């Protein structure tokens, strides 16, 4: 009697095992590709959001009135700055890294004219315009990393000795009201009040981390490559 056509149980089991293995390998590679694409997307999206804010400051798009349409607005608490004008302009944006998953964005205002007494001392002119956030409760925008990415580290390099500032919790983009030069200022330990006005510490204008190289590290726990970087050059 000849052998009947068909497959034995052993052959069927081997076929199913090999097929399952191939499917598992294919799905693993597919999932890895999806995760890598998500990591790239969240990095580019986060970087694009910051670049858009910086670009708006650099081109003057952010220079607009706090209220009204005259290009100027009445500042509050201006008596804190003797000799200052009672009018101000929006000259930039402050990025506050509120948590690993959220960046709060504020308008930065400055006096229309520098304080003459301050300018006479020879300090950094930008400081003499008294840049500040008028109201820490007035958040104008948020940036949130996608795909469960987290902000892990923010680092800026000292332009003179190469050491690093690793305790950055805010970054300011400012456009000088007169010269139109743009400043990138990392702020470490910048404790904001719980309400009211936030005035920039004088040290941020005169240290060796202003307008220098820096980077924001994003952490991706679920992805094969767990870190990506947004760099300031």
């Amino acid at each position: 009697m000849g052998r009947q056509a068909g497959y034995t149980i052993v052959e069927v089991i081997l076929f199913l095992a090999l097929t399952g293995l191939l499917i598992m390998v294919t799905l693993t590679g597919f999932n890895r590709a999806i995760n890598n694409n998500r990591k790239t997307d969240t990095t580019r999206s986060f970087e694009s959001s910051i670049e858009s804010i910086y670009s708006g400051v650099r081109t003057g798009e952010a220079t607009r009135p706090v209220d009204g349409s005259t290009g100027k607005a009445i500042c509050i608490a201006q008596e804190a700055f003797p000799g200052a004008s009672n009018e101000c302009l929006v000259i930039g944006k402050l990025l506050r890294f509120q948590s690993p998953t959220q960046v709060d964005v504020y308008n930065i205002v400055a006096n229309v004219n520098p304080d003459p007494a301050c300018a006479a001392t020879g300090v950094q002119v930008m400081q003499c315009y008294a840049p500040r956030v008028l109201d820490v409760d007035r958040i104008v925008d948020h940036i949130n990393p996608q795909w469960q990415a987290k902000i892990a580290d923010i680092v800026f390099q000292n332009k003179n000795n190469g050491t690093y500032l690793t305790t950055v919790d805010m970054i300011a983009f400012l456009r000088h009201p007169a010269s139109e030069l743009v400043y990138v200022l990392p702020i470490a330990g910048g404790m904001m009040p719980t309400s009211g006005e936030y005035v920039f510490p004088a040290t941020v204008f005169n240290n060796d981390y202003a307008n220098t190289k820096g980077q924001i590290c994003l952490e991706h726990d679920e992805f094969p490559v767990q870190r990506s970087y947004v760099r300031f050059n």
Side-chain angles (χ1 to χ4, degrees):
M1 181 182 294
R3 184 177 182 273
Q4 292 183 346
Y7 301 98
T8 66
I9 293 178
V10 173
E11 290 172 329
V12 171
I13 292 174
L14 286 174
F15 172 78
L16 293 176
L18 289 174
T19 301
L21 181 62
L22 289 173
I23 291 174
M24 184 174 63
V25 170
T26 301
L27 289 178
T28 300
F30 185 65
N31 287 335
R32 183 180 292 111
I34 289 177
N35 286 337
N36 282 330
N37 285 337
R38 286 178 175 175
K39 180 180 72 69
T40 300
D41 287 345
T42 192
T43 303
R44 288 178 177 174
S45 175
F46 187 79
E47 183 176 42
S48 177
S49 296
I50 293 177
E51 285 182 347
S52 177
I53 292 172
Y54 173 82
S55 178
V57 174
R58 181 178 59 82
T59 60
E61 293 176 14
T63 306
R64 61 181 185 274
V66 179
D67 297 297
S69 58
T70 63
K72 300 178 181 179
I74 302 302
C75 289
I76 61 174
Q78 62 91 17
E79 64 271 11
F81 307 96
S85 168
N86 66 344
E87 297 178 324
C88 63
L89 291 173
V90 177
I91 62 163
K93 300 290 184 182
L94 176 67
L95 308 181
R96 183 189 184 195
F97 296 86
Q98 176 69 14
S99 73
T101 58
Q102 179 167 307
V103 183
D104 294 337
V105 183
Y106 299 83
N107 281 329
I108 301 172
V109 304
N111 297 330
V112 176
N113 299 304
D115 176 11
C118 172
T121 64
V123 301
Q124 172 58 252
V125 176
M126 186 71 251
Q127 178 185 338
C128 297
Y129 284 88
R132 63 244 189 228
V133 174
L134 285 179
D135 186 353
V136 299
D137 292 325
R138 294 182 65 178
I139 299 170
V140 298
D141 201 358
H142 298 287
I143 304 174
N144 304 100
Q146 300 174 338
W147 299 115
Q148 299 180 337
K150 297 178 181 178
I151 301 164
D153 298 300
I154 308 164
V155 177
F156 278 77
Q157 187 176 31
N158 188 302
K159 65 184 70 173
N160 290 322
N161 59 27
T163 59
Y164 292 94
L165 184 66
T166 60
T167 55
V168 176
D169 48 19
M170 294 191 284
I171 299 174
F173 300 145
L174 303 116
R175 188 173 187 257
H176 194 286
S179 69
E180 300 183 355
L181 292 174
V182 177
Y183 295 76
V184 178
L185 305 175
I187 303 172
M191 296 298 294
M192 268 193 170
T194 55
S195 62
E197 189 175 64
Y198 171 73
V199 181
F200 287 86
T203 53
V204 304
F205 301 99
N206 303 306
N207 63 34
D208 295 324
Y209 298 100
N211 292 340
T212 186
K213 293 181 179 180
Q215 68 181 24
I216 301 172
C217 172
L218 295 178
E219 198 166 63
H220 314 267
D221 292 335
E222 304 298 323
F223 300 164
V225 179
Q226 294 190 336
R227 292 200 163 200
S228 59
Y229 301 91
V230 174
R231 291 184 168 85
F232 297 86
N233 293 317

